[in-house]
Amino acid sequence: MTEKRMYKYLFGPIPSRRLGMSLGVDLVPKKVCSIDCVYCEVGKTTTLSIDREDYIEADKIKEELSHYLENNQAPDYVTITASGEPTLNANLEEIIAFVKQNEANIPVCIITNGTLLHDQKVRAALGQADLVLPSLDAATEPVFRKINRPHKQINFESYIQGMIDFAQEFKGKIWLEVFILPAYNDQKEELEALKKTIQQIKPDIVQLNTLDRPGTIAKLRGATQEELQAVMDFWQLDNVRIIAKAKQTKQNQFRSDTETAIKETISRRPCTVEDLISMLGMCEEEVTRCLDNLASLKGFEKVQQERGVFYQIREQ
């Protein structure tokens, strides 16, 4: 029988739109980041930093990983991300090495905003990963500062050059995420600049994404499928993909402790009932029952957005 446990640094596995069933590894406290994106689903950055520190001890993360992998079905990916920016954790290289040494058949993915890739030590730390998903939301500095609201010491030219340098050095795959936000970065001039920068980085795949959950400021909207297709048509690049919805899991084969899994998930990002059904393969009645059970917790909130009612647990 699978041992039930609430993890502090792991979440999922959840069906990723890009990675199949993905076990998330959270490397920094919520929310330590080098930028403060207007669209961030995790919430507003509370600690804006570019300093790499021992935010979470490597042994604590390794203990949870060992426990999960010994007691549950192997995920499609171990995805190192964060309630912030994972490359800020000075233990990043050690965590990647631990997964590769203990579960060589499970690929490791890193989701990063890319702002620290100008640092050779950060690029070296990512060397053992199988897949890196950096972000590029703007190719001109004014738009970068409007959307991403970076730490004042981040140099825009160094940020772009860091991604170019990393792409030349890295032996694994690079899937570059471009987040299209209407009225922010969908003007012709910005799209032309983005295309030029993409051609300099030369990623394996470019993934177009857009707003799907509440952002950090009001009145943001996601791009429609037609608008995303128009960007693809404008760029005329062969490796651009629009990210599709995750396929619904038919049964909850990865986690039997569903209420705990829901709590872990909505503590990190807002989700609708439909999101949770898709992630966990549960029926609507069971998801609703679990949410009702969690409703008495401090920080539990329901937020009405265009796509529906989102459930989240905010830190107090």
Side-chain angles (χ1 to χ4, degrees):
M1 182 176 179
T2 301
E3 181 183 347
K4 296 184 180 182
R5 174 173 172 179
M6 176 74 181
Y7 296 104
K8 186 173 183 180
Y9 309 113
L10 309 184
F11 59 97
I14 59 175
S16 164
R17 286 176 290 181
R18 297 173 280 193
L19 304 172
M21 292 304 296
S22 170
L23 177 66
V25 184
D26 207 343
L27 287 196
V28 299
K30 189 177 181 180
K31 181 173 183 262
V32 179
C33 195
S34 54
I35 55 181
D36 183 19
C37 299
V38 296
Y39 62 78
C40 186
E41 65 182 33
V42 178
K44 183 175 176 57
T45 296
T46 52
T47 303
L48 193 62
S49 177
I50 57 170
D51 297 324
R52 302 190 72 218
E53 298 180 17
D54 184 12
Y55 286 102
I56 301 169
E57 293 177 16
D59 287 346
K60 293 181 179 180
I61 296 172
K62 289 191 286 188
E63 187 277 327
E64 287 199 356
L65 278 167
S66 294
H67 181 276
Y68 180 88
L69 295 170
E70 288 170 4
N71 290 280
N72 297 275
Q73 181 176 332
D76 295 321
Y77 271 89
V78 169
T79 302
I80 297 179
T81 177
S83 299
E85 172 51 37
T87 61
L88 286 170
N89 191 318
N91 299 315
L92 174 62
E93 186 170 10
E94 184 177 351
I95 299 301
I96 298 173
F98 177 81
V99 177
K100 300 306 293 182
Q101 289 164 9
N102 290 273
E103 295 289 344
N105 293 327
I106 303 178
V108 174
C109 172
I110 315 295
I111 299 179
T112 172
N113 63 37
T115 56
L116 299 186
L117 291 177
H118 64 86
D119 185 338
Q120 193 278 330
K121 291 182 179 179
V122 172
R123 299 201 301 271
L126 296 173
Q128 290 188 67
D130 299 281
L131 173 64
V132 174
L133 276 63
S135 297
L136 177 72
D137 302 324
T140 61
E141 186 166 4
V143 177
F144 173 63
R145 298 201 173 277
K146 184 178 181 181
I147 294 178
N148 301 121
R149 301 186 295 189
H151 187 282
K152 62 182 180 181
Q153 292 183 28
I154 291 177
N155 179 278
F156 178 71
E157 288 75 19
S158 296
Y159 155 58
I160 298 296
Q161 188 61 50
M163 285 210 280
I164 295 170
D165 292 343
F166 176 70
Q168 292 175 346
E169 299 167 5
F170 185 56
K171 305 302 182 184
K173 297 291 186 180
I174 296 177
W175 297 353
L176 182 69
E177 180 182 56
V178 180
F179 197 97
I180 298 298
L181 200 60
Y184 281 78
N185 63 351
D186 60 343
Q187 299 87 355
K188 180 180 178 181
E189 296 78 9
E190 188 64 26
L191 291 176
E192 287 175 340
L194 279 166
K195 178 178 179 178
K196 181 179 178 181
T197 302
I198 290 167
Q199 290 174 317
Q200 291 176 306
I201 297 171
K202 301 177 182 177
D204 296 281
I205 295 176
V206 178
Q207 297 186 320
L208 285 186
N209 201 354
T210 194
L211 191 69
D212 190 49
R213 290 181 171 87
T216 63
I217 66 174
K219 298 183 179 179
L220 291 179
R221 77 168 179 89
T224 64
Q225 287 292 306
E226 292 76 14
E227 288 169 325
L228 294 175
Q229 184 62 51
V231 173
M232 288 184 64
D233 295 341
F234 180 80
W235 282 344
Q236 291 292 298
L237 297 172
D238 293 337
N239 62 340
V240 180
R241 310 284 186 270
I242 295 174
I243 299 177
K245 289 285 188 181
K247 293 181 180 179
Q248 181 168 331
T249 307
K250 291 184 179 180
Q251 58 180 342
N252 183 24
Q253 57 184 328
F254 287 84
R255 292 286 293 272
S256 60
D257 51 337
T258 51
E259 188 169 310
T260 298
I262 288 175
K263 183 180 177 183
E264 290 171 354
T265 302
I266 66 173
S267 293
R268 288 174 168 83
R269 50 186 51 79
C271 294
T272 65
V273 169
E274 291 73 21
D275 292 336
L276 293 168
I277 290 170
S278 176
M279 290 175 183
L280 300 170
M282 299 164 61
C283 66
E284 181 175 354
E285 290 77 13
E286 189 171 2
V287 169
T288 302
R289 178 186 62 77
C290 290
L291 288 169
D292 288 343
N293 290 343
L294 295 172
S296 61
L297 294 177
K298 289 184 178 180
F300 183 92
E301 293 181 355
K302 294 191 293 185
V303 180
Q304 179 70 51
Q305 294 286 329
E306 182 178 349
R307 191 160 68 81
V309 177
F310 285 80
Y311 296 84
Q312 60 189 350
I313 297 176
R314 290 190 179 275
E315 290 184 347
Q316 297 299 297

